Structures are given as C-alpha cells and as structure tokens.
C-alpha cells in the first residue's frame, strides 16, 4: 500500500528546512550503504549526527505527530530519525530493497515495515529524480510537491532515477508499525477512512459509526504488536 500524504510541512517550514540543510556539510552517500546498495547508490547524504539533520529531523517528527493521515496509514510504533539526501548532476540510486532491520543511535533495533520519502524540493526545480516503486500492481513513479510525503512498504523494490537538472533534496526514514502484516494494515486503513467519512456524513454519534468504530478497535486489538 502506497499512501500520498500531502502538506506534512508547510511552505514556510520547507523553506526553513532548506535554509538549514544548505548550511550543512554533505558527504558521499555510499558511506552509509551496505555492500549491495553501494553498487547502485550515487548521491550526497547528510550525517545523522549533523546538527542540521537533527534539528530538521525533530521538526519533521513533530509534524508527523500532527498528521492524522500518517498515523492512520502507518500505525507507527517506532520511527527512526529522519535522514537527508541530495541528488544532482546525473546522480541516481538504482533498484534496491531497504534493509529489514536498522539500529537506532541508542542501539535499539527497529524492524522496517514502512519507508517514507518527504520531498523538500518542488518538481519544477529539477528534472528526473522520480522515486519509482515496484509492487504487485506494477511500477509507480512518484514526484511530489515540497512538503508532501509518500509512504510505502519497505519490502518494495524501488529506485531514484537520475537527476539531470537542478537538485532533488529530500528526507527519508523508516518505521516499525504496530501492525506487522501489510494486508492487515491496509484493511485497518480503509476501515478507518470509511468510519471517518460516515462520521462526517451521519455524525460521530450515529449508531453505525459507533459500531464500526468498535470493529476497527477490536481488529486493531487483535492484530497489534506493541
């Protein structure tokens, strides 16, 4: 399941983030890649320890906490600190699958159920740079406005196509969901959306909304791994 989450960051927040990131010292992205990924990875990346990365990362995590669509789609249990990359001058990242387990700075391991890319440059600012995600329904090309986020299963084969003009700056991160199974997460997400839509049409206190809300929470209780 891929979910486009618009306006995670406002235009003002995006501008603030970019101003900070442009002051940072970027390095070769291969330094943080595993053996397989290093063969197809060609970009610039900001060190997780960089103060600019930590400051912008905190802003992003705070914004996500205020984004109901993200919470509904991801049901996040653990969210890794946002990282940042830049593609320019023909740089690209060939097809790969993200690592299944990543380690936080405190040594705690996190299972990567979901991957996210938050775009910090508008599509008109660069050519190429599409995030291409392969799933059971085919190939999907994603290039979103600055401030928008795409959420997708970490198990997906994906790539970033070469940037042939300008620069593509984005944040990327992973999370462990409270619900491990993708099919179960999809059902819960669709049910939650339906309950919210019915609540707007009939009123949150309508008997059908109350019963369906109960079904949602009882399924979540059955499937949650927290």
């Amino acid at each position: 399941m891929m979910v486009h989450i618009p306006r995670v960051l406002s235009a003002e927040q995006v501008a603030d983030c970019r101003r900070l990131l442009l002051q940072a010292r970027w390095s070769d992205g291969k330094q943080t890649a595993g053996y397989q990924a290093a063969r197809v990875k060609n970009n610039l990346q900001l060190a997780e320890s960089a103060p600019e990365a930590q400051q912008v990362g905190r802003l992003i995590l705070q914004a996500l906490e205020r984004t109901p669509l993200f919470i509904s789609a991801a049901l996040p249990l653990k969210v890794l600190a946002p990282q940042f990359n830049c593609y320019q001058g023909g740089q690209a990242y060939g097809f790969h699958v993200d690592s299944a387990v990543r380690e936080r700075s405190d040594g705690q391991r996190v299972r990567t159920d979901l991957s996210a890319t938050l775009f910090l440059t508008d599509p008109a600012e660069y050519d190429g740079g599409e995030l291409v995600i392969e799933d059971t329904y085919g190939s999907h090309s994603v290039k979103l406005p600055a401030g928008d986020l795409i959420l997708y299963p970490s198990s997906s084969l994906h790539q970033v196509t070469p940037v042939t003009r300008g620069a593509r700056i984005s944040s990327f991160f992973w999370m462990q969901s409270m619900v491990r199974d993708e099919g179960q997460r999809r059902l819960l997400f669709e049910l939650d959306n339906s309950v919210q839509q019915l609540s707007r049409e009939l009123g949150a206190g309508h008997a059908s909304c109350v019963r369906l809300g109960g079904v949602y929470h009882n399924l979540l209780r059955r499937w949650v791994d927290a």
Side-chain angles (χ1 to χ4, degrees):
M1 177 177 71
M2 290 196 308
V3 181
H4 171 200
I5 303 176
R7 296 180 297 280
V8 172
L9 298 181
S10 67
E12 293 78 12
Q13 288 174 317
V14 168
D16 289 341
C17 292
R18 289 182 57 173
R19 187 160 46 248
L20 280 168
L21 295 175
L22 287 174
Q23 300 170 8
R25 179 175 296 177
W26 297 78
S27 57
D28 189 342
K30 283 187 171 66
Q31 295 177 10
T32 60
Y35 172 74
Q36 291 287 345
R39 298 191 301 170
V40 295
K41 184 176 185 180
N42 179 20
N43 65 8
L44 298 175
Q45 195 160 313
L46 197 56
E48 293 183 59
S49 59
E52 298 87 354
Q54 295 181 356
Q55 184 174 346
V56 177
R58 285 193 295 270
L59 186 151
I60 291 171
L61 292 176
Q62 291 167 2
L64 291 172
E65 291 176 356
R66 301 189 298 267
T67 306
L69 183 58
F70 170 77
I71 301 299
S72 176
L75 295 171
L77 177 63
K78 303 173 186 176
V79 182
L80 286 159
Q83 299 185 46
F84 302 90
N85 57 25
C86 174
Y87 295 83
Q88 58 188 0
Q91 291 179 321
Y93 196 163
F95 273 117
H96 63 284
V97 173
D98 292 335
S99 300
V101 178
R102 300 190 70 89
E103 192 170 292
R104 298 198 317 193
S105 58
D106 60 5
Q108 186 179 18
R109 292 185 178 89
V110 177
R111 185 185 68 238
T112 57
D113 296 320
L114 293 161
S115 301
T117 295
L118 175 61
F119 290 78
L120 296 172
T121 41
D122 278 313
E125 297 182 69
Y126 61 98
D127 291 336
E130 291 84 0
L131 173 63
V132 179
I133 303 168
E134 303 279 354
D135 64 13
T136 54
Y137 301 101
S139 179
H140 309 272
S141 181
V142 182
K143 191 173 183 178
L144 300 179
D148 285 18
L149 180 145
I150 188 72
L151 186 68
Y152 60 97
S154 298
S155 56
S156 302
L157 190 67
H158 58 282
Q159 69 166 332
V160 176
T161 63
V163 172
T164 57
R165 177 186 67 84
R168 173 197 190 268
I169 301 173
S170 61
S171 174
F172 62 99
F173 51 97
W174 300 271
M175 67 219 70
Q176 180 173 329
S177 176
M178 291 187 290
V179 176
R180 180 172 187 162
D181 183 82
E182 182 189 353
Q184 292 171 349
R185 281 200 310 272
R186 181 193 296 271
L187 288 173
L188 287 166
F189 179 61
E190 292 175 351
L191 179 56
D192 188 28
N193 284 341
S194 298
V195 171
Q196 292 184 44
Q197 180 65 35
L198 282 174
S199 297
R200 288 190 291 268
E201 295 174 358
L202 304 177
H206 192 279
S208 295
C209 298
V210 173
R211 285 195 296 270
L212 284 174
V215 171
Y216 172 85
H217 285 286
N218 286 329
L219 286 174
L220 181 59
R221 186 176 291 110
R222 178 182 291 266
W223 292 337
V224 73
D225 177 21

